[in-house]
Amino acid sequence: TLLMPERALRLQGPSLEIIERCDGQHSVAQIISELQKIYSKAAPEKVAQDIAGYLSLLHEQRAVDFQ
């Protein structure tokens, strides 16, 4: 579960895989690279686009912060 201002998200699947790596030790590029390996049947560009979009959405909702 990801706690956000005024709500919480129950995470599973790729969402959970992304958030587990948002630990201050992984860069966005590293997260994308690792998940491209896990989801190797998907087009790498699609995986990168989906992760970047998801992180951007969470950032806009003040759920994650990154530089």
Side-chain angles (χ1 to χ4, degrees):
T1 301
L2 178 63
L3 299 177
M4 301 170 44
E6 302 180 17
R7 64 184 174 150
L9 291 176
R10 181 165 296 200
L11 303 172
Q12 56 187 355
S15 298
L16 181 58
E17 295 281 350
I18 294 167
I19 294 302
E20 285 179 335
R21 288 167 173 77
C22 291
D23 58 4
Q25 302 300 314
H26 290 83
S27 67
V28 173
Q30 289 171 320
I31 294 170
I32 289 170
S33 177
E34 288 182 16
L35 292 179
Q36 284 172 329
K37 291 174 188 170
I38 291 171
Y39 297 101
S40 61
K41 292 183 181 183
E45 307 82 33
K46 176 70 171 144
V47 173
Q49 182 181 18
D50 288 351
I51 292 169
Y54 184 66
L55 288 174
S56 179
L57 176 66
L58 291 178
H59 181 72
E60 290 171 10
Q61 296 178 359
R62 302 179 324 184
V64 297
D65 191 20
F66 55 90
Q67 300 175 351

